[in-house]
Amino acid sequence: MVDMSSFPITKRWPAKHPDRLQLYSTATPNGVKVSIMLEEIGVAYEAHYIDLGANETWTPEFLSLNPNGKIPAIIDPDGPGGKPLPLFESGAILIYLAEKSGKLLPADAVLRYQTIQWVFFQMGHIGPMFGQLGFFHKFAGREFEDKRPLKRYVDETKRLLGVIEARLDGRDWIMGGDYTIADIAMLGWVRNLIGFYGARELVGFDDLNHVPSWLERGLKRAAVERGLNIPKRP
């Protein structure tokens, strides 16, 4: 039996199966990256729902795992050397799980680093910019009289969609014929942009030739369908 008692987060969210990877998350575009990945690679895990509305990421227990107070985060009881590994930041978790499982990250060194660069592209650009568009289009920012911030993020989102569009020209997936963690990193964000944020027309999504079909292919994957709804709200 794995001893998880040294991790304060397990006091608030007890592990029923401490021998399984523990996921602390919510089904947001960042959160579902990890749940989709876990479903894709078939690793046994236990999902704990973190209530963002109740500010549970700012509790001492959650901050003990991620001092930045963001989901997702994991504890792998079978980390390097057989010791438990706590890990936060969705991009880092994707890379870790890909390397641990030997799946969804090319073994070839050149292709591996090229895949990772697209994960970083999502982390550094798509997530922050799409999120700002959501704030100014759907949430509190929509009440601002000054529409220049909204225009800024609409324009930047269109530019970023153009980058993905160009990359997918002649490719089924970001890395070509193989689905990878680069696709997993982006699928939830593009889905959220035109769905939850309601920005489909605003960003001219249907004017694109390749991104819509890539998104459709991704959303049809059984592991993606499952992962988009994990963890479930209690």
Side-chain angles (χ1 to χ4, degrees):
M1 181 69 69
V2 179
D3 182 9
M4 304 285 279
S5 62
S6 62
F7 297 96
I9 196 168
T10 63
K11 304 297 189 296
R12 190 180 183 102
W13 292 278
K16 295 180 181 178
H17 305 281
D19 57 326
R20 299 180 185 178
L21 185 145
Q22 303 294 305
L23 169 65
Y24 306 90
S25 190
T26 307
T28 66
N30 277 332
V32 299
K33 295 178 201 172
V34 178
S35 54
I36 290 171
M37 182 64 178
L38 289 167
E39 290 293 320
E40 290 280 7
I41 64 177
V43 167
Y45 69 100
E46 183 177 350
H48 302 274
Y49 175 78
I50 307 301
D51 191 341
L52 302 182
N55 292 321
E56 287 188 335
T57 59
W58 302 111
T59 60
E61 295 88 353
F62 190 87
L63 290 171
S64 71
L65 182 56
N66 183 358
N68 193 38
K70 304 292 182 182
I71 58 93
I74 66 169
I75 302 174
D76 183 0
D78 184 27
K83 298 179 180 180
L85 172 69
L87 200 60
F88 63 88
E89 282 296 330
S90 57
I93 296 171
L94 285 179
I95 295 169
Y96 169 70
L97 292 174
E99 292 184 339
K100 178 184 173 75
S101 66
K103 298 176 181 179
L104 303 178
L105 183 63
D108 176 83
V110 172
L111 295 177
R112 177 179 180 274
Y113 285 114
Q114 289 177 346
T115 304
I116 291 172
Q117 80 179 349
W118 284 103
V119 173
F120 278 43
F121 167 76
Q122 181 280 307
M123 299 289 293
H125 300 279
I126 289 178
M129 296 300 103
F130 285 19
Q132 291 288 353
L133 184 149
F135 174 80
F136 286 104
H137 178 58
K138 178 166 183 174
F139 299 110
R142 73 181 187 277
E143 305 296 337
F144 295 178
E145 291 186 11
D146 187 348
K147 298 305 178 185
R148 286 176 296 180
L150 174 60
K151 184 180 185 305
R152 167 183 171 80
Y153 293 112
V154 169
D155 289 347
E156 182 64 2
T157 295
K158 287 181 176 179
R159 187 189 73 79
L160 293 170
L161 286 172
V163 174
I164 305 173
E165 175 79 357
R167 176 64 183 179
L168 289 170
D169 187 10
R171 297 180 176 91
D172 285 341
W173 305 106
I174 294 296
M175 289 305 298
D178 294 326
Y179 171 84
T180 68
I181 58 172
D183 301 286
I184 293 175
M186 298 183 203
L187 281 170
W189 275 106
V190 176
R191 171 182 178 264
N192 202 66
L193 175 70
I194 64 171
F196 185 62
Y197 290 165
R200 189 182 198 110
E201 293 184 10
L202 189 65
V203 300
F205 187 78
D206 293 317
D207 295 331
L208 300 169
N209 293 317
H210 308 302
V211 176
S213 57
W214 162 83
L215 179 62
E216 183 179 2
R217 278 192 296 276
L219 295 180
K220 286 182 178 179
R221 294 180 67 90
V224 174
E225 290 182 353
R226 295 191 300 269
L228 286 172
N229 296 296
I230 298 173
K232 292 186 181 295
R233 182 184 293 271

